[in-house]
Amino acid sequence: MKIEAILWTGVAVFYIVIGLLYLAVGGDTAGVVLLLLATGLGGLVAGWVWDWTRRNGERVENRADVDAIDSTGVVGVYPTASLRPLALAIGVTAMFLGIPLGSWLSMVGIAIVASQVLLLTRDTDT
Amino acid sequence: MTAVDPTVDPDREAMGGADPDRLVEIDDFLGDPDAHGPRGLPRTIIGWLTTTDHKALGIAYIVTSMVFLGIGGALAGVIRAELAEPGLQLVSVETYNSVFTIHGSVMVYLFAVPFGFGMANYLLPLQIGAPDLAFPRLNAFSYWLYLIGGAVMLLGFVADGGAASFGWFAYPPLSGAAGTPGIGADMWIVSIILTGTSGTLTAVNVIATVTMMRTPGMTLFRMPILTWNMFITSFMVLVAFPVLSGALLMLLADRQFGTHFFDPVDGGSPILWQHLFWFFGHPEVYIVALPFFGVVTEIFPVFSRRPVFGYKGLVLATLAIGALSTSVWAHHMFATGDLVLPFFAATSLLIGVPTGVKIFNWIGTMWDGSLSFEAPMKFAIGFLVTFVAGGVTGIMLASPTLDFHLTDSYFVVAHFHYVMGGTVIFAMFAAIYFWWPKVTGRLLSEKLGTWHFWLLMAGFNVTFFVQHLLGRAGMPRRVPDYRPIENFELWNKISSFGFLILVASMVPFLINVVRSLRSPATVGADPWHANSLEWATFSPPADHNFTWLPPIRSERPVFDLRWINFEGVGAPTSADAWEARHDHDEQWLPLHQWSDEEEQKRTTGPRPIERTSEGQSSDEDRADGDRGDDGEEIT
Amino acid sequence: MTSRSPLAPPITDQADDIDRVWDVFLYLALGVLAFVVVLVVYVVIRFRRRDDRLPQQKHYNIPLEIAYTVVPFVLVVGLFAITVVTVNAIDDTDTDPDLTVHVTAFQWQWEFEYPESGVRIIGGADTDAPELVLPADSSVLFELESLDVIHSFWITAFRFKRDIIPGTVTEFSVDMSDDAAGEYPNAGVCAEYCGLDHALMRFSVRVLEPAEFDAWLVEQANDQEVAG
């Protein structure tokens, strides 16, 4: 994960440099703020990756001399087919469409989203 | 045996007179394609509505975005028909304004970006040896949000007052409640919020997948360039899309709740919108383009039989483009005069450098190669030429001196149709012809592909080249009518005629697709003799992608395996891998095999995907009702 | 461009400069395009597949890679230098002009006002495109104001446009060439999409010799006094 960490740190450094440069040449406030926020985004991921690497060490996947055979075991648990994503998407759409079309639609949307999120968390328990 | 990084490997001698019998065929490793459970796409409607499989969702993305391409293309037809003659003939001004707004919005938000995400969905896990994306349900959610969000935009046409009509960048105050009343405009805003959110979620998914799910040996600098570009694109999405969503929420609040973010009458700032929008909008251009750069970087090496030239330089160039693209936004605003012009001129011109590097990387890949011109290669070369033509006008527009005259004219229209339209279309078809055998198990006709290519090349350039002249001569964009000045009419007629050729070029393509789908699926794993991991599985791939993985010692694992009997050609592989070549009848790295029992379980609960060193024993382990307690963590 | 071009000739000193920069960029762009196309055609012909042999598997060539990074970089620095020099001259607003024109844009017409003499020319919905009259061989300052949405004041013969943002007054100045006199019937348009009849927001430009212009201004002032 070292390279990833360096990569994301580089992102943060780039944005802080360009952000300060833009500030120095008299850039607009919105632009400066956005560039500094991008610094934060890069820093956030970089921090997470550094921390992960510190706690877990280098991943076997990142070594140049390993084969798939060297990392046996569970790769991941994959969910089965599910109607929840579709229902959730309909709910979110209704939520936003309610803003111009009428708050009743937003209410329906919120109900769908809440119920589906609840069911989704229960799904992964089993 | 120690690993050798091929990028620091000494020059390798050309192979002369290679004995074809000693070449390794991937199919020999894979065995019976149907011995590992079901392959291919869902067969029922319920199956499609509930799928979380990255391949099914990838196809859904791609098909949906192609449908939107058709709709956007039809709207373009209305525009070109109206402009074929001065005056108003075909549609009312109101309709025309909606048509060009939705044309732009559909092409940018609903076609180009989602097509890239579709490729990311389908190909990225395959290219890094993963069984799926990191978050399959999130992925399904993203897709449905995109589809429904897109439908909301188009439904604007039937809303009271018609669809949004303020152009795809929706400058307030025109896009405010007074400038554009009507529900259609609000639906447009909601639609972009939804599809933007969908894109952001997909980006998170891609970044998590690339970071955590690469197969052992697939180091960052062995990833295929397409995967790299998707990774960088996803980062740009994370920077750019939330800004757009935020700005759109502000705009929606202005329209619906009476706030005054962008309303100059009450102290708001229309310029603020432009900064926010273009902070999204310029990265967006590269978000559209980078996946397609990745596509051609996959194709050139395969049909040149050469490695990517300057792999690391190419990755660095892409990183530079990604970084710089978020600091050039205000070059869309030069004409406002309220800017630090030199800063944005410098960054905008500078971004031409890494872009130029890419072009030479591509030519360098073909240089000294052994080039064959199957349809994917034709389209990739078409892409290259189109892209350079669009790139050089980009340099002109990066200079405010020239941009003051050219911006908001047809010159800009021509420029971005070359860089966003042409390159995307050419690279998209290159991708379709290239990965079609992998996805369907069938080939497309080369003869029809050739017709398709040349018609597209002619149609595209006839349509858009004259628009440079129109813009320089003073035709503004977004007009349904123009004065019958000398040459304006002629050039517009040429452009409209070119559009007809463009439409005609789709005929051989569609015939090709239909004919291919009716033929039996007989193609093996690796029909092109390609390089990256997606060719190391069946066509179409097995459920959860791999039953077996070759050793990964370079960015071309499949190439290395094919040439494993020739020392000094591919990257040397490990001792295990050398061992394996001697009896590759035996599956030396089965990842997964299906039992009936498991097949049943597949439909009732989550299941772990394991890598085991011995094939059969893993089935028993899992039959013990292993419902994933120990499998939560992706290792 | 040939004489058949519908593009109006440049009528300000700034436009002359811009056209010179245009030529530099244009020929460079065509050169780069031609270079790459020739390279691609060469590669396609020279390296087409002749037999089944595997070509040389060269991954990189550091000196060459540095070269094709540095050369575009140098070109870009050169273009940047040209840009900065010219753009500063173009963007420099003349605080003591010979003439000030106050332009008001509104959906979907123009009003041109000459504040020193109080002359106003307003385009109406049912009238022909309004005509902007300017003196040759003088410096002119344009103050731009919008009553509703964003417009953009584009005179093709200036090779220049400036956006008109509601809530602020934007401005720019030009030095009219001494040989600028003439009629430019198609030279002015609104370049920023501004709603329904955006396409009809056009105007014409007429440039008079300074003396004729003064006479015209007096005549207009008298006419408008009579009418008003």
Side-chain angles (χ1 to χ4, degrees):
Chain A
M1 301 283 278
K2 256 224 173 68
I3 299 181
E4 285 95 328
I6 293 169
L7 206 63
W8 289 102
T9 311
V11 166
V13 170
F14 173 81
Y15 282 113
I16 191 105
V17 168
I18 208 92
L20 292 178
L21 187 69
Y22 187 52
L23 184 68
V25 298
D28 68 297
T29 322
V32 172
V33 169
L34 290 174
L35 287 171
L36 294 183
L37 283 175
T39 310
L41 179 69
L44 191 73
V45 185
W48 185 83
V49 178
W50 279 119
D51 184 58
W52 195 96
T53 315
R54 191 179 54 76
R55 281 187 289 114
N56 301 315
E58 195 51 77
R59 301 169 70 228
V60 66
E61 281 82 352
N62 275 5
R63 283 172 44 200
D65 58 345
V66 290
D67 290 326
I69 206 165
D70 294 323
S71 167
T72 58
V74 175
V75 176
V77 176
Y78 279 89
T80 48
S82 167
L83 206 55
R84 308 254 183 275
L86 173 57
L88 209 52
I90 292 172
V92 171
T93 307
M95 236 166 73
F96 277 98
L97 261 187
I99 296 173
L101 294 183
S103 51
W104 61 272
L105 192 57
S106 290
M107 297 301 164
V108 173
I110 289 167
I112 297 177
V113 169
S115 65
Q116 293 304 309
V117 168
L118 196 70
L119 288 167
L120 203 59
T121 50
R122 286 173 62 87
D123 279 354
T124 40
D125 276 343
T126 52
Chain B
M1 195 176 283
T2 53
V4 177
D5 186 345
T7 51
V8 294
D9 217 26
D11 297 355
R12 294 178 180 129
E13 285 298 306
M15 285 299 304
D19 175 5
D21 290 343
R22 291 169 67 209
L23 283 176
V24 171
E25 284 294 334
I26 299 297
D27 291 308
D28 296 341
F29 284 94
L30 295 175
D32 178 9
D34 294 316
H36 308 274
R39 290 187 298 150
L41 301 169
R43 275 157 226 275
T44 61
I45 290 175
I46 292 294
W48 276 107
L49 292 179
T50 60
T51 185
T52 55
D53 177 18
H54 76 100
K55 295 187 289 295
L57 288 167
I59 295 303
Y61 260 109
I62 285 169
V63 172
T64 311
S65 67
M66 296 287 283
V67 170
F68 281 122
L69 171 66
I71 293 168
L75 295 172
V78 175
I79 295 172
R80 278 320 325 164
E82 179 60 56
L83 289 178
E85 280 182 33
L88 287 170
Q89 299 87 32
L90 194 65
V91 291
S92 67
V93 181
E94 289 91 338
T95 312
Y96 183 88
N97 291 345
S98 286
V99 163
F100 77 69
T101 300
I102 303 298
H103 163 74
S105 307
V106 163
M107 289 303 199
V108 173
Y109 300 112
L110 304 182
F111 158 63
V113 176
F115 190 93
F117 283 145
M119 291 193 299
N121 256 283
Y122 197 98
L123 295 171
L124 190 135
L126 284 164
Q127 289 202 321
I128 60 171
D132 204 316
L133 284 169
F135 311 118
R137 282 195 186 175
L138 185 70
N139 190 26
F141 176 60
S142 296
Y143 169 73
W144 292 114
L145 212 50
Y146 152 59
L147 176 68
I148 298 169
V152 167
M153 185 195 290
L154 293 181
L155 282 175
F157 274 114
V158 299
D160 206 13
S165 60
F166 37 56
W168 77 275
F169 42 73
Y171 277 1
L174 180 63
S175 58
T180 312
I183 292 292
D186 295 296
M187 289 171 79
W188 182 91
I189 294 170
V190 168
S191 163
I192 309 292
I193 292 174
L194 295 175
T195 51
T197 308
S198 151
T200 311
L201 296 176
T202 304
V204 169
N205 218 336
V206 164
I207 288 176
T209 308
V210 169
T211 308
M212 301 306 286
M213 297 193 51
R214 281 170 284 127
T215 198
M218 179 64 76
T219 60
L220 273 186
F221 282 94
R222 285 176 186 166
M223 293 198 305
I225 294 286
L226 176 62
T227 297
W228 256 115
N229 284 16
M230 282 298 173
F231 184 49
I232 296 166
T233 301
S234 296
F235 170 73
M236 290 155 69
V237 168
L238 286 192
V239 172
F241 276 33
V243 177
L244 175 71
S245 297
L248 284 164
L249 281 172
M250 289 156 82
L251 185 60
L252 194 62
D254 270 11
R255 293 177 61 93
Q256 294 291 331
F257 304 136
T259 56
H260 303 289
F261 291 113
F262 307 122
D263 175 9
V265 178
D266 291 284
S269 165
I271 288 285
L272 174 64
W273 167 268
Q274 297 191 14
H275 279 293
L276 293 176
F277 184 86
W278 290 117
F279 192 85
F280 147 81
H282 202 82
E284 165 79 359
V285 173
Y286 288 92
I287 288 165
V288 166
L290 280 190
F292 295 96
F293 293 175
V295 165
V296 296
T297 319
E298 296 296 302
I299 289 171
F300 284 129
V302 171
F303 295 93
S304 310
R305 294 193 172 169
R306 294 249 300 136
V308 176
F309 183 75
Y311 175 98
K312 280 191 176 163
L314 194 55
V315 171
L316 288 178
T318 314
L319 282 168
I321 289 178
L324 279 173
S325 74
T326 45
S327 46
V328 298
W329 72 89
H331 70 214
H332 297 265
M333 300 158 59
F334 282 153
T336 62
D338 182 21
L339 280 180
V340 195
L341 291 174
F343 178 86
F344 289 105
T347 49
S348 305
L349 286 166
L350 210 53
I351 208 167
V353 175
T355 315
V357 167
K358 278 173 169 294
I359 288 162
F360 292 116
N361 280 125
W362 292 325
I363 293 175
T365 302
M366 293 190 281
W367 197 271
D368 256 353
S370 170
L371 275 62
S372 69
F373 301 100
E374 282 86 359
M377 186 66 163
K378 284 198 193 81
F379 280 95
I381 292 172
F383 157 89
L384 185 54
V385 173
T386 317
F387 180 64
V388 175
V392 293
T393 55
I395 292 289
M396 294 177 173
L397 291 165
S399 168
T401 311
L402 302 179
D403 185 79
F404 287 144
H405 179 60
L406 300 172
T407 188
D408 278 321
S409 77
Y410 256 82
F411 191 89
V412 168
V413 175
H415 162 71
F416 68 68
H417 278 91
Y418 266 85
V419 285
M420 286 175 82
T423 57
V424 166
I425 301 271
F426 277 101
M428 174 191 83
F429 283 119
I432 290 174
Y433 280 92
F434 187 57
W435 280 292
W436 183 267
K438 177 51 62 188
V439 174
T440 65
R442 300 163 170 91
L443 284 171
L444 287 166
S445 150
E446 283 298 325
K447 202 172 160 191
L448 285 167
T450 305
W451 275 101
H452 179 197
F453 171 74
W454 286 112
L455 281 171
L456 183 67
M457 196 73 188
F460 181 83
N461 285 298
V462 171
T463 306
F464 293 109
F465 183 77
V466 285
Q467 295 186 0
H468 291 113
L469 308 179
L470 276 169
R472 162 88 179 148
M475 179 159 162
R477 65 195 284 200
R478 299 179 166 166
V479 289
D481 179 20
Y482 49 92
R483 280 186 279 191
I485 308 171
E486 195 177 12
N487 280 357
F488 266 35
E489 199 176 341
L490 173 69
W491 289 341
N492 271 303
K493 275 207 166 63
I494 291 173
S495 183
S496 295
F497 174 71
F499 181 80
L500 291 180
I501 308 177
L502 210 56
V503 172
S505 76
M506 294 301 124
V507 174
F509 173 68
L510 292 174
I511 295 174
N512 211 345
V513 164
V514 171
R515 283 214 325 216
S516 172
L517 285 176
R518 282 184 177 175
S519 67
T522 52
V523 169
D526 183 23
W528 303 121
H529 280 189
N531 296 334
S532 47
L533 272 187
E534 72 267 31
W535 305 100
T537 184
F538 308 108
S539 302
D543 204 353
H544 287 95
N545 299 350
F546 294 99
T547 56
W548 163 90
L549 277 170
I552 296 147
R553 288 293 170 272
S554 75
E555 84 280 9
R556 298 188 295 169
V558 172
F559 176 91
D560 296 339
L561 188 72
R562 186 176 317 111
W563 291 89
I564 204 167
N565 291 329
F566 299 85
E567 211 150 343
V569 180
T573 54
S574 70
D576 286 344
W578 281 100
E579 196 64 30
R581 96 198 130 106
H582 293 302
D583 48 41
H584 58 228
D585 294 341
E586 206 174 293
Q587 292 211 331
W588 52 275
L589 190 65
L591 287 183
H592 195 75
Q593 294 198 330
W594 296 103
S595 65
D596 291 348
E597 197 179 353
E598 209 182 17
E599 177 59 31
Q600 200 171 10
K601 218 171 83 178
R602 208 162 71 90
T603 55
T604 57
R607 69 216 148 94
I609 309 295
E610 290 191 37
R611 288 200 196 96
T612 60
S613 45
E614 303 144 66
Q616 294 300 327
S617 63
S618 65
D619 279 335
E620 288 172 20
D621 293 342
R622 248 169 284 122
D624 290 337
D626 175 352
R627 303 271 286 202
D629 280 354
D630 59 341
E632 293 291 339
E633 194 176 324
I634 293 162
T635 55
Chain C
M1 291 264 158
T2 63
S3 58
R4 279 177 57 79
S5 166
L7 178 61
I11 58 171
T12 64
D13 295 349
Q14 285 85 353
D16 288 332
D17 285 348
I18 292 172
D19 270 358
R20 275 192 286 276
V21 177
W22 162 264
D23 284 345
V24 173
F25 273 70
L26 179 67
Y27 291 122
L28 192 71
L30 290 176
V32 169
L33 179 62
F35 175 67
V36 174
V37 169
V38 166
L39 216 54
V40 167
V41 170
Y42 174 78
V43 164
V44 162
I45 293 169
R46 170 76 178 71
F47 300 114
R48 70 181 188 279
R49 188 164 298 170
R50 295 185 169 81
D51 52 41
D52 251 353
R53 295 200 310 176
L54 191 66
Q56 182 212 54
Q57 298 293 299
K58 199 170 170 57
H59 284 256
Y60 63 93
N61 180 336
I62 299 289
L64 183 64
E65 285 177 61
I66 291 175
Y68 68 55
T69 311
V70 169
V71 170
F73 185 77
V74 170
L75 284 177
V76 158
V77 169
L79 293 176
F80 180 66
I82 298 173
T83 297
V84 169
V85 171
T86 50
V87 87
N88 284 343
I90 295 164
D91 220 30
D92 190 23
T93 309
D94 190 343
T95 48
D96 183 27
D98 299 334
L99 175 75
T100 302
V101 181
H102 191 92
V103 177
T104 307
F106 52 95
Q107 286 173 323
W108 291 276
Q109 268 304 345
W110 302 93
E111 180 196 299
F112 306 118
E113 187 190 352
Y114 301 83
E116 287 101 343
S117 54
V119 171
R120 291 149 66 110
I121 296 165
I122 309 176
D126 46 358
T127 57
D128 282 341
E131 190 177 53
L132 174 64
V133 183
L134 296 170
D137 199 15
S138 328
S139 64
V140 183
L141 173 72
F142 291 90
E143 297 171 348
L144 312 167
E145 190 186 4
S146 166
L147 297 183
D148 36 53
V149 301
I150 299 176
H151 301 275
S152 189
F153 181 76
W154 182 20
I155 296 178
T156 52
F158 286 8
R159 308 289 188 268
F160 187 85
K161 66 174 71 69
R162 174 121 298 167
D163 289 354
I164 312 175
I165 318 275
T168 57
V169 177
T170 50
E171 54 183 22
F172 72 95
S173 60
V174 294
D175 298 304
M176 303 296 294
S177 312
D178 43 13
D179 59 349
E183 303 251 351
Y184 306 96
N186 304 311
V189 282
C190 173
E192 190 64 77
Y193 174 66
C194 57
L196 189 66
D197 278 334
H198 165 60
L200 303 182
M201 241 179 112
R202 306 155 171 162
F203 57 94
S204 290
V205 177
R206 181 152 56 106
V207 181
L208 303 174
E209 294 300 343
E212 291 174 40
F213 177 78
D214 290 340
W216 175 85
L217 210 53
V218 170
E219 186 190 326
Q220 289 292 314
N222 290 339
D223 283 0
Q224 290 188 0
E225 218 158 287
V226 172

